[in-house]
Amino acid sequence: MASLTTLLPCKSSSFLSSSSSSLFARCSLGHKTVGFNESRSRTCASNNFKCDMAEPVNIGNGKPVIPILNDRTLPKFLESARMETTVNRNGAKIKVFSGTANPALSQEIAWYMGLELGKIKIKRFADGEIYVQLQESVRGCDVYLVQPTCPPANENLMELLVTVDACRRASAKNITVVIPYFGYARADRKTQGRESIAAKLVANLITEAGANRVLSCDLHSGQSMGYFDIPVDHVYCQPVILDYLASKRICSDDLVVVSPDVGGVARARAFAKKLSDAPLAIVDKRRHGHNVAEVMNLIGDVKGKVAVMVDDMIDTAGTIAKGAELLHQEGAREVYACCTHAVFSPPAIERLSSGIFQEVIITNTLPVAEKNYFPQLTVLSVANLLGETIWRVHDDCSRNGSYISLLLALCICIAQLKSVLS
């Protein structure tokens, strides 16, 4: 069982900038996930800090566990204000419903928000048609429907549309579709003649079904937000992964962030900046067909370093696996793979578990089947992130304007400095 140790740069000033960069994740410390494997990363010789992270949990039957911490996680002088807010929110006219795509994530979001999932009946007829009936009143309520369009994508998308229609016809005041993983996002432009732009089509379907707002995580490309004629809240899951990396003993001087393709350079650059401004490397690849990638060369230096590959999703893992092989050929000591959406289409599991990765870090925006677990896999929960975003949307608050988040991050930094000085 892996132990939660603390990554932190060799210099305290760089650690402070890294901690304050993920304030939004710091405001919700309830969900932490422990990976399987022992970390074998080389540690800094001195000046390592140790974070007050949750204790490791028993893995049990060998699959990732996402613990829910119900005890106090805030300082005493902040707890009373938080509890008072929670009590006041219980009377709010807000309902959270889950589709059948990822009920575990929906339940975690409801737990974080202090709510119960709305009662809903979803079934398939013999011919495959979808039937949806809300089992409680939503008249005049703000309704949030949690449903990623994960495989089978068309089934889950249609279920989402039918559920939105049911809420609209039940006189819901506002309908927000929470789509942790937005399918068809890769079909966002025409790369050849006579192709469809399916991302725009799906956006039109969701809008016409009756949704008033969309909340999604790490869209494949930012322009997808422009396809909707309704407000879109784009949530970045980087803070969740950064917080986990901050629990590992890796010297900041040994880190290099790698983009698996040229299109992900902006994402990797932003990730590297928050990892104590780590250097950046780029894998140049040429794609000859859908789900087929060929690595050509590497831009940047990874010799003797710990390479962290960052992408928004892993589908067949062809791109990231060939990139990892190239990094090992160029002298990388260890390779970590980080992504938000684990689609894991065959043969992704065989490629990821082949031993080329020290650890594969993903989030639970998509459910991972038990048969797809492997020793290097670590699953992190985004439930706190989405739950806090839903509350702020409901309360008409800015996602970046929380004073509690800032105070909590400062408390963490002060506590870590005190432990070092003592």
Side-chain angles (χ1 to χ4, degrees), residues 3-4 20 43 45 97 116 146 169 192 236-237 246 309 332 339 358 371-372 402:
S3 59
L4 279 183
S20 60
T43 62
F97 291 92
E116 292 185 2
V146 183
R169 295 180 186 279
Q192 301 177 28
Y236 296 93
C237 297
M309 302 187 73
C339 85
Q358 174 78 9
K371 63 180 181 180
N372 289 336
S402 173

CSV table of all heavy atoms in Angstrom, one decimal, residues 3-4 20 43 45 97 116 146 169 192 236-237 246 309 332 339 358 371-372 402:
chain,number,residue,atom,x,y,z
A,3,SER,N,2.2,5.0,0.6
A,3,SER,CA,2.0,5.9,1.7
A,3,SER,C,2.0,7.3,1.1
A,3,SER,O,2.7,7.6,0.1
A,3,SER,CB,3.2,5.8,2.7
A,3,SER,OG,4.4,6.1,2.0
A,4,LEU,N,1.2,8.2,1.7
A,4,LEU,CA,1.0,9.5,1.2
A,4,LEU,C,2.2,10.4,1.7
A,4,LEU,O,2.2,10.8,2.8
A,4,LEU,CB,-0.3,10.1,1.6
A,4,LEU,CG,-1.5,9.7,0.8
A,4,LEU,CD1,-2.7,10.4,1.3
A,4,LEU,CD2,-1.3,10.0,-0.6
A,20,SER,N,-0.4,27.9,-3.3
A,20,SER,CA,-1.4,28.9,-3.6
A,20,SER,C,-2.0,28.8,-5.0
A,20,SER,O,-3.0,29.4,-5.2
A,20,SER,CB,-0.8,30.3,-3.4
A,20,SER,OG,0.3,30.5,-4.2
A,43,THR,N,14.4,11.2,-3.7
A,43,THR,CA,14.0,12.3,-2.9
A,43,THR,C,15.0,13.4,-2.8
A,43,THR,O,16.2,13.1,-3.1
A,43,THR,CB,13.6,11.9,-1.4
A,43,THR,OG1,14.8,11.4,-0.8
A,43,THR,CG2,12.6,10.8,-1.4
A,45,ALA,N,17.6,15.9,-1.1
A,45,ALA,CA,18.5,15.7,0.1
A,45,ALA,C,18.1,16.5,1.3
A,45,ALA,O,18.3,16.0,2.4
A,45,ALA,CB,20.0,16.1,-0.3
A,97,PHE,N,-29.8,15.3,-9.5
A,97,PHE,CA,-30.2,14.0,-10.0
A,97,PHE,C,-29.0,13.3,-10.7
A,97,PHE,O,-28.2,14.0,-11.3
A,97,PHE,CB,-31.4,14.1,-11.0
A,97,PHE,CG,-32.7,14.5,-10.3
A,97,PHE,CD1,-33.0,15.9,-10.2
A,97,PHE,CD2,-33.5,13.6,-9.8
A,97,PHE,CE1,-34.2,16.2,-9.6
A,97,PHE,CE2,-34.7,13.9,-9.2
A,97,PHE,CZ,-35.1,15.3,-9.1
A,116,GLU,N,-29.3,14.9,-0.6
A,116,GLU,CA,-29.6,13.6,-1.0
A,116,GLU,C,-29.9,13.6,-2.5
A,116,GLU,O,-30.5,14.6,-3.0
A,116,GLU,CB,-30.8,13.0,-0.3
A,116,GLU,CG,-30.5,12.7,1.2
A,116,GLU,CD,-31.7,12.0,1.8
A,116,GLU,OE1,-32.7,11.7,1.1
A,116,GLU,OE2,-31.7,11.8,3.0
A,146,VAL,N,-26.4,15.1,-13.3
A,146,VAL,CA,-25.0,14.7,-13.5
A,146,VAL,C,-25.0,13.5,-14.4
A,146,VAL,O,-25.6,12.4,-14.1
A,146,VAL,CB,-24.4,14.3,-12.1
A,146,VAL,CG1,-22.9,13.9,-12.3
A,146,VAL,CG2,-24.5,15.5,-11.1
A,169,ARG,N,-40.5,19.6,-18.5
A,169,ARG,CA,-41.9,19.4,-18.5
A,169,ARG,C,-42.5,19.3,-17.1
A,169,ARG,O,-43.7,19.4,-16.9
A,169,ARG,CB,-42.3,18.1,-19.3
A,169,ARG,CG,-41.9,18.3,-20.8
A,169,ARG,CD,-42.3,17.0,-21.6
A,169,ARG,NE,-41.8,17.1,-22.9
A,169,ARG,CZ,-42.4,17.7,-23.9
A,169,ARG,NH1,-43.6,18.4,-23.7
A,169,ARG,NH2,-41.9,17.8,-25.1
A,192,GLN,N,-11.1,17.4,-42.8
A,192,GLN,CA,-11.1,17.0,-44.2
A,192,GLN,C,-12.5,17.4,-44.7
A,192,GLN,O,-13.4,17.8,-44.0
A,192,GLN,CB,-11.0,15.4,-44.3
A,192,GLN,CG,-9.6,14.9,-43.7
A,192,GLN,CD,-9.5,13.4,-43.8
A,192,GLN,OE1,-10.1,12.8,-44.7
A,192,GLN,NE2,-8.8,12.8,-42.9
A,236,TYR,N,-11.6,23.3,-14.5
A,236,TYR,CA,-10.3,22.6,-14.7
A,236,TYR,C,-10.0,21.7,-13.6
A,236,TYR,O,-10.1,22.1,-12.4
A,236,TYR,CB,-9.2,23.7,-14.9
A,236,TYR,CG,-9.4,24.5,-16.1
A,236,TYR,CD1,-10.1,25.7,-16.1
A,236,TYR,CD2,-8.9,24.1,-17.4
A,236,TYR,CE1,-10.3,26.5,-17.2
A,236,TYR,CE2,-9.1,24.9,-18.5
A,236,TYR,CZ,-9.8,26.1,-18.4
A,236,TYR,OH,-10.0,26.9,-19.5
A,237,CYS,N,-9.6,20.5,-13.8
A,237,CYS,CA,-9.4,19.5,-12.8
A,237,CYS,C,-7.9,19.4,-12.4
A,237,CYS,O,-7.5,18.5,-11.7
A,237,CYS,CB,-9.8,18.1,-13.2
A,237,CYS,SG,-11.6,18.0,-13.5
A,246,ALA,N,1.6,16.8,-5.1
A,246,ALA,CA,2.2,17.5,-4.0
A,246,ALA,C,2.4,16.6,-2.8
A,246,ALA,O,3.0,16.9,-1.8
A,246,ALA,CB,1.4,18.7,-3.6
A,309,MET,N,3.7,13.3,-17.9
A,309,MET,CA,3.0,13.5,-19.1
A,309,MET,C,1.6,13.9,-18.8
A,309,MET,O,0.9,13.3,-18.0
A,309,MET,CB,3.0,12.2,-20.0
A,309,MET,CG,4.4,11.7,-20.4
A,309,MET,SD,4.3,10.3,-21.5
A,309,MET,CE,3.8,11.2,-23.0
A,332,ALA,N,14.8,9.3,-19.6
A,332,ALA,CA,14.0,9.7,-18.5
A,332,ALA,C,14.1,8.6,-17.4
A,332,ALA,O,14.0,7.4,-17.7
A,332,ALA,CB,12.6,9.9,-18.9
A,339,CYS,N,-4.0,12.3,-16.5
A,339,CYS,CA,-5.1,12.8,-17.4
A,339,CYS,C,-6.4,12.9,-16.6
A,339,CYS,O,-6.5,12.3,-15.5
A,339,CYS,CB,-5.3,11.8,-18.6
A,339,CYS,SG,-6.4,10.4,-18.2
A,358,GLN,N,5.5,4.7,-14.2
A,358,GLN,CA,5.6,4.5,-12.8
A,358,GLN,C,4.3,4.6,-12.2
A,358,GLN,O,4.0,3.8,-11.2
A,358,GLN,CB,6.5,5.6,-12.3
A,358,GLN,CG,6.6,5.7,-10.7
A,358,GLN,CD,7.6,4.7,-10.2
A,358,GLN,OE1,8.3,4.0,-11.0
A,358,GLN,NE2,7.6,4.5,-8.9
A,371,LYS,N,-12.6,-4.5,-14.0
A,371,LYS,CA,-11.7,-5.3,-14.8
A,371,LYS,C,-10.6,-4.5,-15.4
A,371,LYS,O,-9.6,-5.1,-15.8
A,371,LYS,CB,-12.5,-6.0,-15.9
A,371,LYS,CG,-13.1,-5.0,-16.9
A,371,LYS,CD,-13.8,-5.7,-18.0
A,371,LYS,CE,-14.4,-4.6,-19.0
A,371,LYS,NZ,-15.1,-5.3,-20.1
A,372,ASN,N,-10.7,-3.2,-15.3
A,372,ASN,CA,-9.7,-2.3,-15.9
A,372,ASN,C,-8.7,-1.8,-14.8
A,372,ASN,O,-7.8,-1.0,-15.2
A,372,ASN,CB,-10.3,-1.1,-16.6
A,372,ASN,CG,-11.0,-1.5,-17.9
A,372,ASN,OD1,-10.7,-2.5,-18.5
A,372,ASN,ND2,-12.0,-0.7,-18.3
A,402,SER,N,-13.5,33.0,-3.5
A,402,SER,CA,-13.7,32.5,-2.2
A,402,SER,C,-12.7,32.9,-1.2
A,402,SER,O,-11.5,32.6,-1.3
A,402,SER,CB,-13.8,31.0,-2.2
A,402,SER,OG,-13.9,30.5,-0.9
